Amino acid sequence: MLFSELAVYFSRLEETTKRNALVEILAELFGKTPPDEIASTTYLLQGRLAPFFKPVEIGMGEKYVMDAIARAYETDRDEVRKRFDRLGDIGAAAREMAAESQVAPAPEHTPEVREVFERLTGIAGTTGAGSVERKVADVAALLARLDPLSAMYLCRVPVGRLRLGVGDPTILDGYSFAKAGDKSLRKRLERAYNETSDLGLIGQTLWQQGIEAVDALTIRVGNPVRPALAERLPSADAILAKLGRAAVEKKFDGFRCQVHKLGDEVKIYSRNLEDMTGMFPEIAQGALKQVPAHSAIFEGEALAYNPLSDEYLPFQETTKRRRKHNIENAAQELPLRLFAFDLLYADGENITPLPYVERRERLKGLIQPDDTILLSEERIATEPSELLEVFNDAIQGGLEGIMAKKLDAPYQAGGRNFNWVKLKRAQAGELQDTVDCVIIGYIYGRGKRSAFGVGALLVGVYDPDRDVFRSITKIGTGLTDAEWREVRERCEPYISEEKPARVESILQPSVWVEPEVVIEVLADEITRSPVHTAGMNGEKQGYALRFPRLISFRDADKRPEDSTTVGEIVEMYGQQGAKAVPA
Ligand code: ATP
């Protein structure tokens, strides 16, 4: 397929916000894409050159893209900057200049998607002395071979502004419609996606070898597995009524790590499947030292540990430490421990189908005792009182609660279900669990706060069925000046003139924000609401958070699609008022 044809599909996707229409356009695009271009087309649709877990980046900011545009259209950076300032989009600036220039060819003379993708991949791989100059020259050479519309989309890729409103579930539906004419393949594709996290690989396998080959795609070292997630229940009684007997562990408020080991290479992936190996050198070393198996995938919670006070520090400290420049130093001053809690793969064998108790036994056998990787302690509880003993112990130790695990359950990648149930401590008048929300807009403030340009945040939660974000509350009070400033800084790159494609909201903020920034919010209560769209359905009112306050920024370990779902909100609404610990 010519890159210019792909650009036309991009513009059609950009113009619509209707999910069915998006899926239809994708199905048409995939239907016309040659099998060996499915993977590259899929990554490009996401503004990328590789799956999210591979840190392949073009590595050119706005300034250098402007240089490339200037060189391609034989002008200078100031001219490009002028257009950029006027149009507010570097892609639109390139499009305008391409249209005016003598250089840009007609759409039918652009290179194929395959070639553009290969060149961009080459640019991403350019390193060493003079690499910036070579990148600028290569992008300029590529631009000179593209028609104006193609030039616009190409320039949006390196600066992370290719926002087509297409999330992963929408791409999976696009595949299914392209191959089967309906949604019937979605479940099978999703299973492969949960185990390999690589949409391009799945598309390519489907096109080249068919759905049976997709069914055979499974867990492999080097591809992060989408994590199993926990449901909520309001009390110890409710948990044991649901699970029968359960393994109960402390719930560590740390950083979830999925450790992949193959020979003497270790990779560590975050909750949102990013490669975080460089941030956790001591855990990578610990895995080499304490795990003799040739290959393994196991999970645990990493916590900063202060050896002087013998204290375990919470998530916030862990991320603070990660932000420090000198990780090696931080690793010495504030070493991390990993509390391992599950095993997914060992010595070439996928063990996720095994019951929890067996995986746990294998995990015990996998790890040689030492200081860095510790096995999270567990107790089998049959009576609520036994479960509460672990709960109280956890709370006394400054932790936030417990995780109860069903003894005969497999590890279900990418699933939030009752195989795991969390029970957290709650203060009177608070919801038992925090809600992870995505910022979708902000409302200008008056008085002191207007100095920071934000007065209240409009936030939403995720609706996975429709792959959109729906409003749930406004957060106006309780943020410190520094937090407002931070909000502003984090939202700045995502400001949008129009309502973003994947946002549904009746309320109109002063400024829309692309759904990218995830925050953790604690509220007193969930109420029904005629103005918020989360859970709104025809005549049925939506749901809102009452008295919300910001607890933390969660972009380090959550993608927007990992935020709390509308379904979870409905469930939490039903569980309100129950007490974790009987009075
Ligand atoms: P989630 O990860 O479920 O979306 P969240 O980020 O809000 O939710 P919580 O709901 O507070 O986190 O707790 C779930 C997380 O707790 C898991 O993802 C895992 O990182 C962590 N965790 C801590 N201790 C354990 C444990 N013993 N077993 C399993 N998970 C644990």
Side-chain angles (χ1 to χ4, degrees), residues 249 251-252 256 271 301 405 416 422 424 558:
E249 293 173 29
K251 187 175 173 310
F252 303 99
R256 185 169 183 162
R271 159 88 173 64
E301 196 78 3
K405 298 182 178 178
R416 189 182 293 283
K422 58 188 170 188
K424 290 192 193 174
K558 292 217 164 180

Side-chain angles (χ1 to χ4, degrees), residues 79-95:
E79 181 56 30
V80 184
R81 153 92 46 209
K82 248 188 260 162
R83 311 237 182 176
F84 178 31
D85 288 345
R86 174 164 53 79
L87 296 163
D89 167 24
I90 202 157
R95 180 186 192 169

Side-chain angles (χ1 to χ4, degrees), residues 514-564:
E514 293 282 346
E516 292 285 347
V517 182
V518 183
I519 56 174
E520 185 179 2
V521 174
L522 182 63
D524 285 4
E525 199 185 0
I526 298 174
T527 55
R528 298 308 299 255
S529 156
V531 296
H532 287 291
T533 54
M536 195 176 266
N537 193 351
E539 294 288 280
K540 268 177 55 199
Q541 294 197 332
Y543 294 82
L545 301 179
R546 211 161 96 92
F547 299 132
R549 48 231 179 246
L550 179 126
I551 300 293
S552 65
F553 290 92
R554 290 299 294 264
D555 354 4
D557 73 334
K558 292 217 164 180
R559 282 170 67 183
E561 292 81 4
D562 296 323
S563 55
T564 303

Side-chain angles (χ1 to χ4, degrees), residues 227-232 248-257 271 299-301 303 339-342 356 360 376-377 400 402-403 405 416 420 422 424 433-436 520 554 557-558 562-564 568:
L229 300 170
E231 270 285 358
R232 305 168 179 84
V248 188
E249 293 173 29
K250 288 177 182 159
K251 187 175 173 310
F252 303 99
D253 184 14
F255 196 92
R256 185 169 183 162
C257 291
R271 159 88 173 64
E299 281 192 331
E301 196 78 3
L303 261 74
F339 288 87
F341 55 69
D342 216 323
Y356 171 75
R360 189 63 204 204
S376 81
E377 276 174 41
E400 54 176 0
I402 52 117
M403 291 288 253
K405 298 182 178 178
R416 189 182 293 283
W420 290 5
K422 58 188 170 188
K424 290 192 193 174
D433 200 359
T434 50
V435 177
D436 293 317
E520 185 179 2
R554 290 299 294 264
D557 73 334
K558 292 217 164 180
D562 296 323
S563 55
T564 303
E568 289 176 74

Side-chain angles (χ1 to χ4, degrees), residues 433-486:
D433 200 359
T434 50
V435 177
D436 293 317
C437 298
V438 180
I439 299 179
I440 56 177
Y442 52 73
I443 298 155
Y444 287 135
R446 266 171 261 146
K448 183 164 165 256
R449 260 193 237 150
S450 61
F452 307 112
V454 181
L457 298 171
L458 181 63
V459 304
V461 290
Y462 185 50
D463 179 345
D465 294 335
R466 312 202 18 243
D467 195 16
V468 294
F469 298 87
R470 309 176 80 177
S471 84
I472 190 156
T473 197
K474 286 193 284 187
I475 306 178
T477 51
L479 271 76
T480 62
D481 289 354
E483 281 171 332
W484 281 118
R485 227 175 278 125
E486 192 166 352

Side-chain angles (χ1 to χ4, degrees), residues 203-277:
Q204 186 180 317
T205 309
L206 181 61
W207 259 256
Q208 293 185 336
Q209 301 167 60
I211 187 70
E212 282 75 25
V214 173
D215 290 341
L217 287 177
T218 183
I219 290 185
R220 53 183 74 189
V221 178
N223 280 38
V225 181
R226 297 187 15 103
L229 300 170
E231 270 285 358
R232 305 168 179 84
L233 281 172
S235 66
D237 288 26
I239 290 175
L240 289 179
K242 183 93 190 171
L243 305 188
R245 290 163 74 225
V248 188
E249 293 173 29
K250 288 177 182 159
K251 187 175 173 310
F252 303 99
D253 184 14
F255 196 92
R256 185 169 183 162
C257 291
Q258 194 176 84
V259 184
H260 289 229
K261 175 178 187 266
L262 187 65
D264 53 12
E265 203 185 335
V266 174
K267 289 235 176 282
I268 297 174
Y269 297 101
S270 63
R271 159 88 173 64
N272 57 349
L273 317 177
E274 279 181 29
D275 185 344
M276 291 285 179
T277 316

